[in-house]
């Protein structure tokens, strides 16, 4: 079968690979290009299955977790077919558009990040970074009841997308802390940092209230510098967030299936497998300023031209 193979940065190719062999507890999945059948999506976080975290449905906290699409040795979805453990396969309601199936994973990351803050109906939420993860966090914050949800984003194309999703935006490069707080209508009680740098954490501290919860889901750099007194003396809490738990993934899948129209702005383009190496290259070098491009290994009725 054909599969997209990553050799090293800037070098990807579509190559023939052996058919994946399902084991007794696996499913063989056809990576689809149709939105009309009964379809499934896959929770790609695989735990050991034995530890307390796995037993609690929180494989993201399993010390031996593996993530499909991250670990090169595991069959993954940039290919015509893949295998996945059957218990990780999440059926979607009949009629769910194929796009939605592939959006569930990033949407679940954003949902989990917001859940980590124990959002209430009184919370004012600032999401820093409006890429796919920030978009997902903003959608989740709105859905879980935040009174105000604002996204801070530097890139005008992404800010436009966020406006189309119905969010107010701010630009930390050109707007002061006071101006961002004016968009928020005060200080944020919850900030989701969907970038993960010293600078974005500083924005989170500067714009949030005493006692605020700051969720660090962005992973742009492995080490950050932080204004320690803004955490200690003002009692802010910093919460880590990684992927999602089983329940949150399934809940997000159900919600996404029922809100396909609301999610349409998230997808900028669809390409087939043969176009994938060039698409990755042009996204990485900035020629293509898309937010989310979906790869349809078997081709799509709208492939390519809508990029
Ligand atoms: N913790 C997890 O489980 C998890 C899962 C997936 C992705 N991630 C991480 O989340 C981060 C975001 O992912 P993404 O796909 O949205 O990335 P992305 O690069 O597509 O988007 C990041 C956005 O942040 C904006 N940005 C950068 N600096 C900013 C600043 N100072 N202020 C405001 N906006 C700023 C950029 O313009 C961009 O639009 C990445 O670091 C990724 O590795 C974490």
């Amino acid at each position: 079968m054909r599969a997209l193979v990553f050799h090293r940065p800037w070098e990807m190719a579509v190559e023939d690979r052996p058919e994946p062999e399902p084991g007794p507890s696996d499913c063989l999945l056809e990576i689809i290009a149709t939105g009309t059948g009964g379809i499934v999506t896959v929770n790609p976080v695989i735990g050991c299955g034995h530890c307390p975290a796995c037993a609690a449905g929180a494989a993201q906290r399993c010390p031996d977790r593996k993530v499909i699409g991250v670990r090169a040795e595991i069959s993954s979805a940039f290919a015509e077919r893949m295998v996945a453990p059957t218990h990780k396969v999440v059926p979607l309601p009949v009629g769910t558009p194929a796009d939605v199936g592939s959006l569930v994973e990033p949407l679940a990351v954003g949902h989990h990040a917001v859940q980590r803050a124990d959002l209430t109906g009184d919370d004012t939420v600032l999401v820093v970074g409006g890429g796919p993860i920030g978009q997902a966090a903003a959608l989740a914050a709105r859905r879980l009841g935040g009174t105000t949800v604002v996204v801070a984003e530097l890139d005008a194309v992404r800010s436009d997308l966020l406006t189309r999703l119905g969010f107010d935006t701010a630009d930390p490069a050109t707007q002061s802390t006071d101006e961002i707080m004016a968009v928020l209508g005060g200080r944020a009680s919850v900030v989701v940092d969907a970038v993960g740098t010293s600078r974005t954490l500083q924005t989170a501290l500067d714009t949030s209230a005493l006692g605020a919860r700051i969720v660090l889901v962005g992973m742009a750099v492995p080490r950050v510098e932080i204004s320690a007194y803004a955490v200690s003396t003002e009692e802010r809490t910093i919460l880590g967030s990684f992927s999602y738990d089983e329940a949150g993934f399934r809940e997000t899948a159900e919600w996404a299936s029922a809100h396909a129209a609301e999610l349409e702005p998230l997808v900028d383009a669809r390409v087939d497998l043969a176009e994938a190496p060039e698409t990755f290259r042009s996204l990485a070098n900035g020629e293509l300023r898309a937010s989310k491009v979906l790869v349809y290994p078997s081709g799509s009725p709208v492939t390519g031209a809508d990029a």
Side-chain angles (χ1 to χ4, degrees):
M1 68 165 184
R2 295 182 312 141
L4 182 67
V5 181
F6 174 85
H7 291 289
R8 57 188 67 82
W10 303 99
E11 202 178 315
M12 286 178 165
V14 177
E15 296 176 1
D16 276 329
R17 299 304 254 198
E19 289 289 339
E21 294 284 341
S25 57
D26 292 331
C27 274
L28 177 64
L29 301 175
E30 188 85 22
I31 310 301
I32 48 115
T34 172
T36 55
I39 59 170
V40 301
T41 190
V42 175
N43 177 339
V45 181
I46 303 172
C48 69
H50 312 296
C51 70
C54 286
Q60 83 279 9
R61 291 185 186 169
C62 170
D64 296 321
R65 71 190 177 206
K66 293 177 184 153
V67 183
I68 296 174
V70 175
R71 294 285 279 265
E73 71 274 17
I74 310 177
S75 158
S76 63
F78 285 127
E80 291 173 302
R81 282 168 288 287
M82 66 180 280
V83 292
T86 303
H87 70 284
K88 291 297 193 177
V89 175
V90 178
L92 298 170
V94 170
T96 302
D99 278 6
V100 169
S102 51
L103 290 173
V104 169
E105 198 277 340
L107 288 171
V109 172
H111 176 255
H112 185 65
V114 172
Q115 276 194 321
R116 293 281 292 141
D118 286 331
L119 201 74
T120 73
D122 294 330
D123 279 314
T124 296
V125 183
L126 178 67
V127 178
V128 183
I133 300 304
Q135 294 156 20
L139 286 163
R142 181 163 68 194
R143 158 185 162 213
L144 297 178
T147 33
T148 305
V149 182
V150 172
V151 185
E153 169 59 52
L154 305 176
D155 181 83
V157 173
R158 294 215 164 162
S159 294
D160 283 350
L161 189 161
L162 289 153
T163 304
R164 278 185 277 126
L165 288 171
F167 296 105
D168 287 332
T169 62
D171 179 350
T174 58
Q175 291 182 282
S176 66
T177 301
D178 284 346
E179 287 170 322
I180 296 172
M181 290 193 303
V183 181
L184 278 164
R187 287 186 171 272
S189 54
V190 169
V191 182
V192 177
D193 182 346
V195 183
T197 62
S198 302
R199 181 178 166 194
T200 52
L201 276 170
Q202 191 62 48
T203 300
L205 295 170
D206 290 344
T207 55
S208 61
L210 277 66
R213 292 96 78 203
I214 297 172
V215 182
L216 179 58
V217 63
M219 296 166 46
V221 292
R223 294 181 74 86
V224 291
E225 197 170 290
I226 192 152
S227 302
Y229 291 179
V231 177
S232 57
T233 70
E234 298 184 350
E235 293 205 334
R236 292 183 178 86
T237 303
I238 298 186
L239 298 141
S241 182
F242 182 68
S243 62
Y244 25 74
D245 56 26
E246 297 286 345
F249 190 91
R250 284 176 188 269
E251 197 184 317
T252 302
E254 271 171 38
W255 176 82
S257 296
H259 293 80
E262 186 182 337
L263 301 176
E264 266 171 29
L266 298 182
V267 180
D268 295 298
R270 298 157 189 84
V271 299
D272 68 26
L273 203 57
E275 296 170 287
E278 181 51 33
T279 304
F280 271 102
R281 200 164 20 249
S282 49
L283 279 170
N285 67 20
E287 279 167 29
L288 177 59
R289 292 181 71 201
S291 180
K292 180 62 91 184
V293 178
L294 301 184
V295 176
Y296 275 70
S298 309
S300 153
V302 284
T303 289
D306 56 346

